[in-house]
Amino acid sequence: MTRHLDFERLHNFRDLGGYCTSDGRTVRWGRLYRSDSLAKLQGADWDRFLALGIRTVIDLRYPWEIEAKGRVPDAEGFRYLNLSVEHRPYDQAEIDPVLDPWRFLADRYAEVALDGAEELRQALEAIADESGPQVFHCASGKDRTGLLAALVLSLLGVDEDTIAADFALTELATDRLIADWRAANPGRALNWPGYGRAPEEVIRLFLTDLTDTYGSVHDYAVKHVGVDDALIERLRARLLD
């Protein structure tokens, strides 16, 4: 099976299938995808996307991002959810280069985990309850998308090393993400040299922080997000072989 799906305008569209869990099961291929912004879909890319049979699109961006950049095109049978998980916007292009970049990002993820509990719960419920293939995305498919992917995989029983490796696959798209930013921001300086990067350390710091605060990622989901064991079992039943 293919993890990275090739599109002309999308740079970070991946299948979350194939990962093994602690109880010996495997995440099903072709059920759950993660991506950068689907507003870029058109032409042959749109046809390729439709061929995947995706029924639900979960857009994790702010409403103002959607207003400015657009959203996935409409199609018959689509369910579209805008669940803006981030509540404290910041501009990654302007991150102070003297800061520890990975600690800075992990701290922003912690804010999303704290502030976006309601939206994260709704996203998990949608993933657990939809029978067809689904995709969730943000702008670059890196931070908000990476956080939700880590949460889903953790609740499925995938180990941290695998979650970190999946997160870091965005590094393969970094150059194209930077090129997109420069094209969209002519004449503006990209001040942070880590823009578009996704090293494993970021998600490992974030998962460690959740464990230190709540006891485990599972306990974070239960105590703060409001997930219950029934929802976790639905996720596992739908996504695991």
Side-chain angles (χ1 to χ4, degrees), residues 120-121 124 155 221-229 231-232 235:
L120 289 169
R121 182 185 57 77
L124 292 170
L155 292 177
V222 171
K223 296 174 183 177
H224 187 69
V225 178
V227 168
D228 59 21
D229 288 339
L231 174 55
I232 295 173
L235 275 174

Side-chain angles (χ1 to χ4, degrees), residues 176-190 195:
R176 296 179 73 188
L177 294 173
I178 291 173
D180 274 2
W181 186 92
R182 294 191 187 283
N185 297 274
R188 185 180 167 198
L190 184 58
Y195 186 89

Side-chain angles (χ1 to χ4, degrees), residues 101-102 105-106 109 143 167 198-207:
W102 315 139
L105 286 180
Y109 291 14
D143 301 303
F167 177 84
E200 289 188 9
E201 183 179 353
V202 177
I203 203 69
R204 289 187 186 276
L205 285 169
F206 168 67
L207 294 174

Side-chain angles (χ1 to χ4, degrees), residues 77-104:
F78 257 22
R79 181 187 184 200
Y80 173 80
L81 300 173
N82 177 212
L83 301 174
S84 179
V85 296
E86 186 179 276
H87 292 241
R88 306 185 215 184
Y90 63 102
D91 186 349
Q92 288 201 4
E94 298 296 338
I95 295 175
D96 188 341
V98 306
L99 295 174
D100 177 341
W102 315 139
R103 180 71 265 174
F104 181 89

Side-chain angles (χ1 to χ4, degrees), residues 112-135:
V112 173
L114 180 65
D115 302 339
E118 174 62 22
E119 292 84 3
L120 289 169
R121 182 185 57 77
Q122 291 180 50
L124 292 170
E125 288 176 342
I127 293 168
D129 293 337
E130 173 61 67
S131 59
Q134 300 176 76
V135 60

Side-chain angles (χ1 to χ4, degrees), residues 160-219:
E160 183 177 311
D161 287 345
T162 301
I163 291 171
D166 177 79
F167 177 84
L169 289 175
T170 288
E171 295 261 285
L172 299 174
T174 295
D175 289 345
R176 296 179 73 188
L177 294 173
I178 291 173
D180 274 2
W181 186 92
R182 294 191 187 283
N185 297 274
R188 185 180 167 198
L190 184 58
N191 293 325
W192 183 46
Y195 186 89
R197 294 287 313 280
E200 289 188 9
E201 183 179 353
V202 177
I203 203 69
R204 289 187 186 276
L205 285 169
F206 168 67
L207 294 174
T208 296
D209 291 345
L210 283 189
T211 299
D212 289 346
T213 301
Y214 297 96
S216 68
V217 178
H218 173 276
D219 287 347

